[in-house]
Amino acid sequence: MHAATFFDGVGWREGVVELVDGRVRLSDGHPDADLPRLDGVVLGGFTDHHVHLQLVDHAQLSGSRLGRVVDLGGNPGVLRRLARGGIKNAPATRDSGTFSIPYPYPHPHPHAHALVVEFAGAFVAAPGGYPSDREWAPEGSVREVADERAAADAVAEMADAGASCLKVTSNSTAGPVFSDDLFRTIVGLAASRSLPVVAHAEGPGEAQRVIALGAARLAHAPFTERLDDEEIARQAASASWISTLAIHDGPARAIAIDNVRRFHAAGGTVLYGTDLGNGPMPNDLNAREIAALREAGLHSDALLHALAPMDPLAPSATLLFLPGASPPTADPLAARPLIPADLKV
């Protein structure tokens, strides 16, 4: 049993770590003064708010530092099976929004790493709109919506599949986009099923338009153009942005980082996301994405909030350990699983 400092997703607290049935567990409460102290800090697995599980070998997520992923576009039937435990080569779980994956190395305890999967289901797009013509789009991953009736059907299908949000595309550089009226209608239909709209906004004016029409979140921090400060303030007050900064190079990267820097300074909520599946990248924390967020001004606790660690007090939590770290020096990239050997005096 050791005293430990841990991050609960909001701030730093004190607790106790101990071995329970061979597994390291964290409990809340003020530790006794005579307890030995863990040399480092503890947190839960991080969240990648933008992934595409059908575009990666999800077996490679084994042993990653991720505790939760949000899939923002795929076949809803496949994603539902993944979220229920139907991942290949992994044991099924109850319909709890998790799937279990084996570690690629000898596991420090006999329990599998439980990764929480949330998903949007299919991309909802205008007829002929992005990404309906993309070869990479998995079969059954796009719903082309021409009118309110089709929109209602698509929303109902995603809600019934277990989606936690609705992905709507608005990429004017790659095809047709929804009219203002139909986009607003989709937002309203989604709200009636408690599904916030996450929008892919690309092209001049699209990031501004979709938020004005009611989208709750941007799937990518705006990268087409620099938003003016008034627009930044409006969006900071009403929406959140998923970063995905590392997918860009050149001017688009500079524009996105500048927008995120001012959005964060204005009090906006920035969420870590990589667009996993969009080109080569690690199936784990992405060091390039972390570096870009730091370049945009997210450091220390602000960076941890963007990474949205899982509750480390949850019985099924995967506990991460930052050896030798303190709250001011905690570096997410230094995190590794907390194992029984860490508790040896």
Side-chain angles (χ1 to χ4, degrees), residues 46-68:
F46 302 117
T47 302
D48 190 331
H49 296 85
H50 190 152
V51 306
H52 296 282
L53 291 173
Q54 290 180 267
L55 302 183
V56 299
D57 179 0
H58 26 58
Q60 293 183 18
L61 288 165
S62 303
S64 79
R65 290 162 289 185
L66 299 175
R68 173 172 51 206

Side-chain angles (χ1 to χ4, degrees), residues 126-170:
Y130 176 87
S132 61
D133 62 348
R134 294 301 197 260
E135 291 186 0
W136 55 258
E139 182 178 357
S141 67
V142 180
R143 298 293 179 273
E144 297 180 63
V145 167
D147 54 31
E148 182 173 352
R149 180 174 179 177
D153 289 344
V155 169
E157 180 190 4
M158 301 315 138
D160 292 345
S164 62
C165 59
L166 189 74
K167 177 70 172 291
V168 180
T169 66
S170 195

Side-chain angles (χ1 to χ4, degrees), residues 60-113:
Q60 293 183 18
L61 288 165
S62 303
S64 79
R65 290 162 289 185
L66 299 175
R68 173 172 51 206
V69 295
V70 184
D71 190 291
L72 289 184
N75 182 307
V78 172
L79 295 174
R80 176 172 179 155
R81 288 193 294 273
L82 289 178
R84 295 179 65 183
I87 188 169
K88 185 179 180 181
N89 297 327
T93 67
R94 293 188 303 170
D95 188 3
S96 59
T98 68
F99 61 80
S100 298
I101 51 181
Y103 275 71
Y105 48 80
H107 201 280
H109 55 66
H111 300 274
H113 173 175

Side-chain angles (χ1 to χ4, degrees), residues 162-198:
S164 62
C165 59
L166 189 74
K167 177 70 172 291
V168 180
T169 66
S170 195
N171 182 353
S172 64
T173 71
V177 297
F178 291 115
S179 67
D180 287 1
D181 286 345
L182 187 49
F183 193 103
R184 193 180 290 110
T185 294
I186 293 169
V187 169
L189 290 166
S192 73
R193 298 298 300 266
S194 300
L195 299 178
V197 167
V198 181

